[in-house]
Amino acid sequence: MTYLVNDPKQFAADSLTGMVAANEDYLTEVHGGVTRATDSPQGEVAVIVGGGSGHYPAFAGWVGPGMAHGAVCGNIFASPSASQVESVVRASDHGGGAVLLFGNYAGDRLQFGAAQSPLGADGIDTRIVTISDDIASDTPQNWKDRRGIAGDLFVVKAACAAAAAGRDLDAVEAAANKANEATRSMGVAFTGCTLPGADEPLFTVPEGEYALGLGIHGEPGISSHKMDTAEGIATLLVERVLAEEPARTAGGYDGHVAVLVNGLGATKYEELFVLYGTVKKLLTEHGLTIVHPIVGEQVTSLDMAGVSLSLMYLDPDLEELWLAPGDSPAYKTGSVTAGQRREVVAHDEKVAIRAGSPESAAQAEELLPLLQALADMSSANEASLGKLDSIAGDGDHGQGMVLGSTAALKAAKQAVAAHAGTSTLFDVAGAAWSEGAGGTSGALWGAALRELGTMLSDDQAATEDRLGRAAIARPGDKTMVDATAPFADELTARLDAGDDLATAWAAAARAATKGAESTADMVARKGRARTHGTASLGHQDPGAVSFALLMSGLADRLANS
């Protein structure tokens, strides 16, 4: 477990601040993460890495000359928000555009993707490359749909070296894609990890066994195996990774490989060296030449005991990029001359608060208790939602809902104090929810509240019917939409029948609860739970459950208002 904690919900922020204080020659803290403390050549492509916290050295530990230009740092195991991505990109931009690199997870795709449009509108051409090296998470035919784990290092290093060599945006993007296509990883876990402030791990591994194919966000492995020697585990990992070795060709892959034996947080260097001894023996016997091997912690999962093996199958260009010099707090190779220390310009990402008409401002104040109800319900159910999420996911859903809803409530109170109308009320609340929670749920809840704001007006109060017609969803896989769709359908039907808002909402909340209950009979086909097959059977989807709970809380508040 994590012992050195102040406020568990501030752990990621406190850790980042302390890390920057310890590495001021490399890093400057900005909203949402870090940027290089030293200057880069004008016109150089900026490589921005990122994702959730809890993985140090990934991602902030890879920022520095010859390495990344900035890192966006979300909450523990949760993607950063779109505004945080924007902030770090703007602080790291040198006029050459930006390549954004992150593991292939739904929340990261949503949040980094949402940042592309405003950045592009301001003239910063931004490309996205999702890293998908984990062979346990999908088939060889669907390798682009796999998740990113420790192979992140290889892809980041290739892109950063290409940028440092002066390649243009297209070429840096191409180098990242080539490295991703050439990288394969597989990991094992001996224990689960524990979120800061929690008193038990997200999952457990039975005594005398290890889990194969784990994720780096506290997801359990895809299969369990009887505990083996280091030699036996190394043999299994090498066999699995070499199963996807590409054909050797003239001028292409020639049997040279970059190798990373990566500790996941609680498996330390002496053990990793024992494993690497067998890895090297097996790869050499296979006729491979190892180029600049790395043994140590590069992509961790808090205090998880475990190890992963990553290979990048090198062609001459990838080998040159892998060996190019780089200097960052956690990864160093060769010799790099740093630029001059620079002054970083802060970018204000706050949503402007516009005063509404007296009628709309009065209604905004009347609606504030509804946001209070969302925060209250999230806090009351934090533990149960986290436990439900940990069955086949990463266990952070409850914490994310609390962080998002309380941030939204705080922003809404400030908006009401500034006499904002209803449109602005939900716009600032939505932006704050996305910012505070990050991750998939943060993106979805934030977008929903902001969309609600566009349907209302700062110039006049809305009717009950207008307030009620805001939720539209379509049925889908085992996600929160299985609760939002029946909620929207029932709410629309009740309003069409002439029910008042409180009555219609209560009926819709019951429909959402029934929809959430139905997800227990579904196999997840999206999100992190997808890789665990039938593991989620018999358990409701946490996103659907949280939606139903919050809608029920709002129904109670409406009935009493």
Side-chain angles (χ1 to χ4, degrees):
M1 63 184 295
T2 305
Y3 296 95
L4 301 176
V5 182
N6 295 318
D7 178 354
K9 291 183 174 57
Q10 290 296 313
F11 179 82
D14 290 346
S15 178
L16 183 67
T17 297
M19 182 211 166
V20 173
N23 293 279
E24 292 178 337
D25 290 343
Y26 291 97
L27 308 173
T28 297
E29 188 170 2
V30 296
H31 172 68
V34 298
T35 188
R36 284 187 192 175
T38 54
D39 208 358
S40 303
Q42 186 62 27
E44 183 171 282
V45 175
V47 178
I48 309 299
V49 299
S53 297
H55 305 301
Y56 187 85
F59 297 93
W62 297 340
V63 174
M67 292 293 288
H69 296 75
V72 198
C73 307
N75 292 319
I76 299 295
F77 297 166
S79 69
S81 70
S83 69
Q84 291 171 329
V85 175
E86 280 190 62
S87 170
V88 174
V89 172
R90 294 181 192 280
S92 306
D93 175 49
H94 288 84
V99 173
L100 311 184
L101 301 176
F102 51 87
N104 185 32
Y105 298 95
D108 295 285
R109 292 196 305 270
L110 282 169
Q111 300 281 16
F112 279 83
Q116 272 190 300
S117 180
L119 289 167
D122 287 343
I124 304 176
D125 190 352
T126 306
R127 313 289 176 84
I128 285 178
V129 176
T130 55
I131 302 171
S132 53
D133 59 300
D134 178 27
I135 64 177
S137 56
D138 217 318
T139 62
Q141 295 76 20
N142 297 322
W143 67 271
K144 289 185 177 180
D145 294 329
R146 291 170 168 171
R147 61 192 175 188
I149 53 174
D152 287 3
L153 175 68
F154 292 149
V155 182
V156 169
K157 180 62 173 63
C160 293
R167 299 186 191 183
D168 65 17
L169 185 60
D170 290 338
V172 174
E173 180 185 21
N177 277 313
K178 181 197 283 189
N180 185 47
E181 186 171 359
T183 300
R184 297 292 185 270
S185 301
M186 174 67 92
V188 299
F190 310 119
T191 68
C193 59
T194 305
L195 293 174
D199 55 7
E200 61 182 27
L202 293 174
F203 71 93
T204 58
V205 179
E207 188 73 24
E209 296 182 4
Y210 68 89
L212 177 68
L214 70 145
I216 57 169
H217 299 92
E219 309 100 321
I222 59 172
S223 61
S224 295
H225 301 259
K226 184 179 179 180
M227 192 61 197
D228 203 347
T229 63
E231 183 176 22
I233 291 173
T235 300
L236 176 61
L237 293 177
V238 169
E239 288 175 349
R240 295 294 180 100
V241 175
L242 285 182
E244 297 188 24
E245 180 187 10
R248 303 185 194 188
T249 61
Y253 168 60
D254 58 0
H256 287 203
V257 291
V259 179
L260 168 62
V261 170
N262 174 66
L264 284 157
T267 301
K268 307 314 291 184
Y269 285 74
E270 286 85 353
E271 295 176 84
L272 300 178
F273 290 137
V274 172
L275 189 86
Y276 179 72
T278 300
V279 168
K280 180 178 180 181
K281 174 178 177 290
L282 294 172
L283 294 179
T284 301
E285 289 175 351
H286 191 71
L288 301 181
T289 299
I290 298 173
V291 179
H292 186 49
I294 303 296
V295 179
E297 294 179 346
Q298 289 296 329
V299 182
T300 60
S301 184
L302 290 173
D303 61 339
M304 183 185 290
V307 62
S308 62
L309 172 67
S310 300
L311 298 186
M312 179 165 63
Y313 298 103
L314 301 170
D315 66 8
D317 182 54
L318 284 177
E319 184 167 340
E320 178 182 339
L321 295 174
W322 175 236
L323 293 174
D327 186 18
S328 64
Y331 183 86
K332 308 174 192 294
T333 182
S335 178
V336 180
T337 301
Q340 296 294 314
R341 191 167 187 88
R342 67 190 180 105
E343 181 179 350
V344 177
V345 178
H347 298 274
D348 187 0
E349 304 291 339
K350 293 182 180 179
V351 176
I353 297 180
R354 171 178 177 254
S357 68
E359 297 79 13
S360 185
Q363 187 174 54
E365 187 170 2
E366 292 173 355
L367 293 173
L368 186 61
L370 300 183
L371 291 166
Q372 179 73 60
L374 296 180
D376 291 344
M377 288 297 289
S378 295
S379 297
N381 292 280
E382 178 181 2
S384 61
L385 290 172
K387 195 165 188 64
L388 185 60
D389 189 34
S390 69
I391 292 168
D394 57 11
D396 71 337
H397 184 64
Q399 176 177 280
M401 292 297 294
V402 172
L403 290 170
S405 60
T406 53
L409 177 62
K410 180 180 179 180
K413 288 179 176 178
Q414 293 172 343
V416 167
H419 307 291
T422 54
S423 178
T424 295
L425 173 76
F426 288 106
D427 188 39
V428 299
W433 193 308
S434 178
E435 174 84 10
T440 305
S441 66
L444 296 176
W445 278 94
L449 289 176
R450 300 192 82 170
E451 179 65 20
L452 175 58
T454 67
M455 300 175 67
L456 302 175
S457 171
D458 285 335
D459 298 323
Q460 58 187 15
T463 63
E464 278 198 8
D465 186 76
R466 182 68 174 171
L467 287 170
R469 298 182 185 275
I472 301 174
R474 297 187 180 94
D477 293 316
K478 188 169 183 174
T479 63
M480 65 185 289
V481 75
D482 293 293
T484 62
F487 174 86
D489 292 343
E490 185 68 16
L491 183 59
T492 300
R494 293 287 183 151
L495 291 172
D496 287 345
D499 286 357
D500 63 80
L501 182 59
T503 301
W505 201 285
R510 291 192 293 272
T513 300
K514 186 176 180 180
E517 291 170 350
S518 73
T519 62
D521 300 322
M522 301 179 189
V523 175
R525 297 191 297 275
K526 290 184 178 179
R528 291 176 188 165
R530 170 183 58 81
T531 60
H532 298 282
T534 60
S536 62
L537 273 177
H539 303 280
Q540 297 177 47
D541 176 72
V545 170
S546 62
F547 178 82
L549 284 171
L550 267 60
M551 293 308 100
S552 298
L554 289 182
D556 292 342
R557 189 60 61 97
L558 285 168
N560 295 316
S561 67

